[in-house]
Each structure stands twice: as C-alpha cells, then as structure tokens.
DNA sequence: CATTATTAGGGTAATTCGGGTA
DNA sequence: ATTGTCCGAATTACCCTAATAA
C-alpha cells in the first residue's frame, strides 16, 4: 500500500477549515501548495485525511520556538 | 478465460461512497457520467469493482511529501 | 411470505472549484 | 507571502416515494 490507506477517515474542505478557523479557500491553497495531502473525488472536489489534519493541528499547538520553520 | 474480472469483488454504492466520503447518490452520478465503471444487478441496482475503486482512490491521491527526504 | 436496510429516481439547497483581486 | 472575498460554473448533499436486496 503506497498511496492512500483505504479506510482512512476523510474530511471535507469545510470541515478542515472549521478546525483551523480559516476559510475553505485557504485549505484549498494549502493543498495546492503541497502543505497538506489531499484526495480528489472523480468530480474534482478535495477530501483530506483526518489523521494528517490532526497532526497538523497538533503541530500548531506545539508552536515550537525552534528553527523548524521553512528554510 | 475471456472474462477478465470473473470473481472480482463488488462494492455497493454505499461502500464506495464511504471510501470517498461522499453521498451514495454522488457515486451513482459518477456511474451515470461514465466516470466509474458499474455493473447492474437484474433489479437495476449498481455494483462497483473494488479494484477499480481502489485504483481510482490511488490515482486521485496526492501524498503530502511529508518526510520525503531521507534524513 | 414478512421485515429491515439500501438504492433508484427526480428536484432543490449548499458546498466547492477556479481565477482574479484587495 | 498568506489570507479573505467576489464571481460564475460545476459538483455534491439532502428532501421525498417506490422498488430492490438480503
């Protein structure tokens, strides 16, 4: 299994946006920028992995002052 | 054997919908639009090939390039 | 044969997409 | 550089009743 774990719970852009308190458009931009993985429906709409979203949320909570930021 | 998919596991619209996190009706629309192959039961209900669905999920999946570079 | 869950079919809101702009 | 908003177009979600599946 390389691509997606079949059976992983997926979230809609609106749900992810609500979790991060941002506009759904912003979540779309994150996906386009490759900052978050996304699955597209045959119709072109995006779905996000709940596990990955939770990981990102946890990183926000961490907000380490270390130099882990982008180069 | 000419039939290339004899014995292929079939999924119901509800199961496919759960995998993509969409409404079962949406899966039906995909079939109607020819975006996904479907088999019809004698009663008119649709069934989908598990292998095709998995392939579709994999193709439409974008890995988030997380931890890509070997440390 | 009876029961319960799912699906088909149509119609109407809500969401998302994509580009461009502030 | 990142986010929010406006627009039109497309996709998806939820409403219903009847039929099929198990």
């Amino acid at each position: 299994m390389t691509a997606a774990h079949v059976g992983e719970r997926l979230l809609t852009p609106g749900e992810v946006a609500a979790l991060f308190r941002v506009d759904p458009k912003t979540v779309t931009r994150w996906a386009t920028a490759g900052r978050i993985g996304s699955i597209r429906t045959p119709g072109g709409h995006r779905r996000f992995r709940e596990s990955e979203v939770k990981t990102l949320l946890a990183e926000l909570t961490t907000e380490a002052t270390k130099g882990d930021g982008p180069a």
Side-chain angles (χ1 to χ4, degrees), chain A:
Chain A
M1 300 297 286
T2 51
H5 310 200
V6 179
E8 175 68 70
R9 197 142 61 124
L10 301 177
L11 299 177
T12 64
E15 291 171 334
V16 177
L19 289 173
F20 281 94
R21 281 258 184 226
V22 295
D23 197 88
K25 206 66 139 193
T26 300
V27 179
T28 294
R29 295 186 191 285
W30 294 344
T32 301
R35 281 195 267 263
I36 182 174
S38 64
I39 295 176
R40 313 277 296 225
T41 67
H45 284 204
R46 295 182 180 85
R47 296 283 112 104
F48 303 90
R49 307 265 193 83
E50 186 189 43
S51 60
E52 189 176 352
V53 171
K54 287 195 301 184
T55 298
L56 290 176
L57 281 171
E59 290 178 7
L60 284 185
T61 304
T62 301
E63 189 60 35
T65 52
K66 292 170 54 182
D68 63 338

